[in-house]
Amino acid sequence: METVSPEPVSASWAAVFSLALGVFGLLTAEYLPASLLTPMAAELGVSEAVAGQAVTVTAVAAMLSGLLTASLTRRIDRRLVLLGFTVLLIVSSLLVAVAANTLMLLLMRVLLGVALGGFWSMAAAVAMRLVPAALVPRAVSIIFSGIAVATIVAVPLGSYLGELAGWRSTFLAAAGLGVLTLVFQLFTLPRMPPRATARLGTLWEVLRRPGFGLGIAGMLLVHIGHYALFTYIRPALENVVKVDVDELTLLLFVFGLANFAGTLAAGWLLTKSLRLTLALTPALMGVAALAVALVPAGKIGYVILVLLWGLAFGGVSVAWSNWATRMVPDQAESAGGLVVVGVQSAIAAGAAAGGALFGLGGVVTVFTVSGVVLLASALLIALRVAAPHHQSRT
C-alpha cells in the first residue's frame, strides 16, 4: 500500500464544479424513468412494472460498479476514468432514446449504472486531489449538491419535456447535458495518475479497519430510516399534512430546495465538527418524523417539519463521504465504493421496510418506527462512531 500523497497547494474549483455537473447529469438520467414510465411502457408494449425495472437495473449496476471501480481501474489516470464515465452517460442516454425494445433499454440502463456507481465512488477521493485538505468538506458538498439539484429538477423537467416532445427526446436532452459535461471536464480536470494499489481484497481490508465497519453500520441505519420515510412521502403529505395535488407538487419542490440548502450547509458544518454533522442530521430527521406522526402540528407546522427533514438529509451524503475519506485517506476510492454500496442497498432495504410497516399500520407507523431508528442511529454515531479530524496528506 502506498502512502497518501501531498495535498494540492491551491484549489481547482472549476474542476470541482465539473464533477458537480457530472453528478447532476448522472442522477438526472437515473431519475428520468420515474416521470416517463407510462409513455415508455406504452410505446414499448410492456407493463409499467416491467418498464420500472429500468430503475432497478441501474441501481444494481451502480452497486457493483461502486465496489469494483477502484480495483479494476487502479492503473488508469483518474481523469480518464471520470471522462469515461461521462462518455457512458452520453452513450446510454442516446441508445435509450432509440431503443427498439425493452431488452436494449435495460442494457443501456446498466451502462448508466456502471457510470453512476463508479463516478460517485471516486468523487470524494478525487476532491482530495483537487483542493487542500481544509477545503475538502466544501468541495465534496459542492460535488454532491449535484444530487440535490437533480432531485429537484429531474422529475418535473422530465415530465414537462416528455409531454412537450416525447420521452425519447427527453433522453436525447440528457445526452446533450452529458456532452456539455464532457467538454467542461476536458478543459478543467487535471491529469491524476493512479496512486493507490486497490484490489478486490482491499475492500475487505478497508472494512476491517478499526471503526470503519461500525461507521458503515451507522450510515446504513440512517439511510434505511430515511428511505423508509421518503418512499411514503406522498401519502404522508396527503393524509397527515392534508395537502391537495397542487400543494403537493409545490411542497415536494420546496423539500428539494431545502435538501440542496442542507447539502451546502453541511460543507460549512463539517469544517467545524464531523461528529456533530454525522449525528445531528439523523437526529433532526428523527425528530421531524416523530413529530409528523405524533404531534398535531397543523398544516404550517407539518410543512416546517418536512422542510427540516429535507434540510437535514441534504447533509447526509456529504458527511458520510467525508467521513470515509478521513477514515481511510490511503484507500479513499475503495472507501467511497463501500459507501455507494451501503447507500444503494439501504435504499432497497428502506423501501422494503417502509412497505412492510405501511401494510401494518399506515403512514403513522412508518414515520414512528423510522423516527425511532433515526434517533437510535444518531445516538450510536455520537457515542461510538470514530470521527477523525482533518489530516494534512504528507
Side-chain angles (χ1 to χ4, degrees):
M1 190 174 296
E2 297 178 12
T3 56
V4 186
S5 11
E7 65 185 71
V9 176
S10 60
S12 301
W13 290 115
V16 169
F17 280 105
S18 80
L19 295 182
L21 187 58
V23 169
F24 169 68
L26 287 161
L27 267 294
T28 296
E30 183 186 24
Y31 294 154
L32 280 181
S35 58
L36 300 169
L37 214 53
T38 303
M40 286 171 65
E43 188 173 330
L44 294 170
V46 295
S47 68
E48 290 184 6
V50 172
Q53 298 310 305
V55 177
T56 307
V57 296
T58 304
V60 172
M63 285 178 62
L64 292 173
S65 179
L67 272 180
L68 300 175
T69 291
S71 57
L72 295 182
T73 66
R74 64 181 182 270
R75 301 185 191 283
I76 306 173
D77 188 305
R78 311 333 271 160
R79 178 179 187 266
L80 292 178
V81 177
L82 291 167
L83 292 174
F85 287 139
T86 305
V87 169
L88 283 185
L89 162 64
I90 297 166
V91 170
S92 165
S93 300
L94 282 175
L95 294 181
V96 165
V98 298
N101 54 58
T102 310
L103 179 60
M104 183 177 177
L105 175 77
L106 295 180
L107 288 174
M108 292 309 102
R109 295 292 293 179
V110 168
L111 278 188
L112 178 68
V114 170
L116 175 65
F119 200 99
W120 190 348
S121 70
M122 291 176 62
V126 170
M128 295 170 67
R129 300 179 66 170
L130 296 175
V131 301
L135 296 175
V136 168
R138 187 185 305 171
V140 174
S141 74
I142 289 170
I143 292 168
F144 282 98
S145 70
I147 298 175
V149 176
T151 305
I152 300 167
V153 169
V155 174
L157 187 62
S159 180
Y160 174 74
L161 290 177
E163 288 295 318
L164 194 67
W167 69 269
R168 294 182 185 274
S169 297
T170 307
F171 281 98
L172 286 176
L177 177 60
V179 171
L180 288 175
T181 302
L182 182 64
V183 172
F184 190 16
Q185 289 172 348
L186 279 168
F187 281 101
T188 58
L189 286 177
R191 286 185 66 253
M192 291 175 280
R195 289 169 174 166
T197 54
R199 291 178 170 78
L200 283 176
T202 304
L203 292 165
W204 179 239
E205 292 167 13
V206 168
L207 204 52
R208 292 177 62 195
R209 297 274 185 99
F212 194 84
L214 185 62
I216 290 292
M219 184 195 77
L220 282 170
L221 280 176
V222 175
H223 283 84
I224 287 170
H226 167 74
Y227 283 104
L229 295 176
F230 192 68
T231 305
Y232 293 92
I233 187 171
R234 179 164 182 165
L237 294 177
E238 289 175 338
N239 299 327
V240 179
V241 185
K242 307 294 186 187
V243 297
D244 59 30
V245 174
D246 291 336
E247 290 172 331
L248 175 71
T249 303
L250 178 61
L251 191 50
L252 287 174
F253 177 72
V254 177
F255 178 92
L257 289 178
N259 193 255
F260 175 66
T263 303
L264 297 181
W268 171 81
L269 189 58
L270 280 164
T271 62
K272 309 299 179 185
S273 171
L274 174 58
R275 184 184 299 280
L276 175 63
T277 312
L278 290 172
L280 182 63
T281 46
L284 291 176
M285 288 192 290
V287 167
L290 287 175
V292 167
L294 305 175
V295 178
K299 183 174 280 191
I300 293 175
Y302 286 132
V303 167
I304 291 170
L305 290 169
V306 169
L307 295 184
L308 176 64
W309 166 23
L311 185 74
F313 186 68
V316 170
S317 292
V318 180
W320 285 104
S321 293
N322 269 284
W323 171 83
T325 57
R326 289 196 208 176
M327 284 292 287
V328 251
D330 57 324
Q331 291 292 352
E333 289 182 13
S334 293
L338 289 167
V339 168
V340 171
V341 172
V343 171
Q344 294 292 335
S345 57
I347 290 172
L357 291 170
F358 189 77
L360 287 172
V363 167
V364 171
T365 302
V366 174
F367 273 63
T368 302
V369 175
S370 296
V372 171
V373 169
L374 286 163
L375 289 177
S377 68
L379 189 61
L380 170 69
I381 292 161
L383 297 178
R384 298 296 305 277
V385 172
H389 297 290
H390 279 303
Q391 293 177 353
S392 210
R393 300 188 293 279
T394 53

